[in-house]
Amino acid sequence: MTSICEIFCGVFLLLYILQPAYSFSSRTFVGKYFISNQELKTIKVQDWMGCLKHCHEEPLCISYNFDKGLSKRCVLNKHGIEDFIYADSDLVDDAGWIFHQLKPVTKRTNKSRNMIPCQCNCGSSNQCYPPPPGLGDVPEKAASSCKEILEQRRQAQDGAYYLQASPSYKVYCQMTPISDCGDEGGWTLVMKINGSKGTFRFSERYWKEQDAYYQEKYGGDLSEKETKLKTFQLTSFDDMCLGMKTLNDIKWVKIALKRGQQNMEMFPIFQKPYQFGFKEISKEKWEGLVESNLDDTQTDSGSNIRNDKAKVRIGILASKSYIGFGTGGAMGNISCGYVRTDTKQVQPTFGYILIR
Ligand SMILES: *[C@@H]1O[C@H](CO)[C@@H](O)[C@H](O)[C@H]1NC(C)=O
Ligand SMILES: *[C@@H]1O[C@H](CO)[C@@H](O)[C@H](O)[C@H]1NC(C)=O
Ligand SMILES: *[C@@H]1O[C@H](CO)[C@@H](O)[C@H](O)[C@H]1NC(C)=O
C-alpha cells in the first residue's frame, strides 16, 4: 500500500514541479514534523496521497505534515520553511511524520522575512517576527518535565507547558525558584488540595489510583482550585516542594526522597506495602509551613504515617498533633493542614505539591 502511494505521490509531485506557474521545487522531509504557528486544520486521510490532495486543493495550504502511523493525520499549514528565520528549529525530528512543502510561501508571509525576530511573545506581530515555539510550547514539542524545559530554556517563565503523554497535556511549571525550596526552579505541579474539602483525604482513591482530577481546568496554574495531574504517575523526581497557604502567603518546605530511591514517581509511594519514603527534615521546618507548633511528644514524618488517631500521606505526626497533606482519622476532619488536639486547633490550609 505504502509503496503504491509513494509512486503516485511521486508522480503527483513531479507534475507540480513541472507546472510552469511554480518555479518552485517542492521539498519533502521524511521523519520530520514542521511546527507552524498557524495550522489551517487537521484532518484524517486514507494515505499520503489524500493529504497531498487536500493541501493542493486548499488555496491557503502551503505545506502539510502527514502522520505515517495508524492515525493518518494530515495537518495543513499556512506556512512554509522560508517563513521562519529559525527554519531548522521548526522542523523537528519525528520518525512517524512526513513534512512536505507543496507551494512557495505567499507574498504576505514572504514579506515577513525582512522583519526582525521578537524578543518575546508580547503581541504586535506586525513589527517583529514571532519566535518559533520552544520545548513545551506546543503539543509536538512536549517535554518530560518542567525541569527539562528549564534546562533548555533558562529564560522560561512560570506558566503552563506541554508535557509528554498520549495525548500530551498542559501542566503548571514553576520556573522561577521558590526560595525555601532552593535556588533552582523547574518545579512540576502534581496536586493542589483544599484542606476543608474531602477530595484528597488520606483514604481517598486519588492517592492509590492514577486518575487525574480537574487536570485540564485547574492543572495549569497555582489558583486555589483542587487538582491532581498525570504528573503523579508520569513524572519522576528526587525532590518535592510542599506549600501551605496561611492567611495571605504560602510557606514552603523541601523534602527529598530517601537515598537509593531517587528518580521515581509519586504513585508507587502510596501503594501498599508502603516501602518508600522521604529523608527526615527538622520538626521546625514542618512547623514553618503553618507557623504553629506541634505538641512535644515524639514525631514520625515522611509518607504514609499513622497512629491510632490520625493518618497522613505526606507530613509529620505527633501523638496529639500533625501537619500534613492527605490527612484523615479521628484527630481532625481535614484533608490538608494542621491539627492539635490539646489546644483544640484545627486549621485546614490550601496545599501545593510540586516535584523536580
Ligand atoms: C520570496 O522571497 C524570496 C527571497 O527573498 C524570493 O526569491 C521569492 O521570489 C519570494 N517569493 C514570492 C512568492 O514572493
Ligand atoms: C475550600 O473549600 C471550602 C469548602 O468547600 C470553601 O469554602 C473554601 O473557599 C475553599 N478554599 C479555597 C482557598 O478555595
Ligand atoms: C468530614 O469532612 C467531609 C468533607 O468536608 C464531610 O463530607 C464529612 O461528613 C466529614 N466527616 C465527619 C465525620 O465530620
Side-chain angles (χ1 to χ4, degrees), residues 196-199 201 333-334:
S196 304
K197 292 192 174 172
T199 322
R201 282 166 63 83
N333 190 19
I334 62 169

Side-chain angles (χ1 to χ4, degrees), residues 23 82 104-108 110-111 113-114:
S23 56
E82 309 91 324
V105 295
T106 63
K107 283 210 172 65
R108 189 185 62 78
N110 214 17
K111 251 193 343 197
R113 296 200 71 194
N114 302 324

Side-chain angles (χ1 to χ4, degrees), residues 20-182:
Y22 291 97
S23 56
F24 165 83
S25 54
S26 72
R27 274 160 284 193
T28 311
F29 296 89
V30 177
K32 296 266 186 202
Y33 187 97
F34 179 68
I35 294 171
S36 165
N37 282 338
Q38 273 176 295
E39 285 170 7
L40 280 172
K41 57 182 164 187
T42 298
I43 41 182
K44 232 177 128 87
V45 292
Q46 291 290 324
D47 51 24
W48 185 0
M49 182 70 176
C51 193
L52 193 153
K53 263 185 74 182
H54 273 286
C55 185
H56 169 62
E57 286 162 8
E58 164 61 61
L60 290 174
C61 182
I62 300 292
S63 64
Y64 62 81
N65 294 308
F66 171 61
D67 182 359
K68 292 188 290 170
L70 290 177
S71 91
K72 303 271 182 243
R73 269 178 300 161
C74 173
V75 180
L76 304 185
N77 298 319
K78 258 191 201 173
H79 290 120
I81 56 178
E82 309 91 324
D83 277 333
F84 292 88
I85 286 171
Y86 308 105
D88 284 343
S89 64
D90 286 311
L91 201 55
V92 297
D93 288 329
D94 196 326
W97 291 81
I98 291 167
F99 167 67
H100 178 198
Q101 184 171 343
L102 212 55
K103 305 168 193 172
V105 295
T106 63
K107 283 210 172 65
R108 189 185 62 78
T109 55
N110 214 17
K111 251 193 343 197
S112 64
R113 296 200 71 194
N114 302 324
M115 293 181 184
I116 52 155
C118 301
Q119 296 306 306
C120 59
N121 270 320
C122 30
S124 67
S125 55
N126 293 333
Q127 288 97 48
C128 64
Y129 206 82
L135 184 67
D137 284 343
V138 288
E140 293 76 18
K141 282 192 172 180
S144 64
S145 67
C146 298
K147 183 181 172 204
E148 189 196 24
I149 297 171
L150 189 63
E151 279 166 358
Q152 278 201 23
R153 306 171 58 187
R154 298 311 302 181
Q155 305 303 317
Q157 300 296 303
D158 298 342
Y161 292 86
Y162 284 98
L163 295 192
Q164 289 158 4
S166 46
S168 56
Y169 62 116
K170 272 189 145 178
V171 172
Y172 177 77
C173 292
Q174 175 69 35
M175 296 307 199
T176 51
I178 297 168
S179 61
D180 288 324
C181 291

Side-chain angles (χ1 to χ4, degrees), residues 194 196-197 224 350:
N194 178 338
S196 304
K197 292 192 174 172
E224 290 168 14
F350 196 88

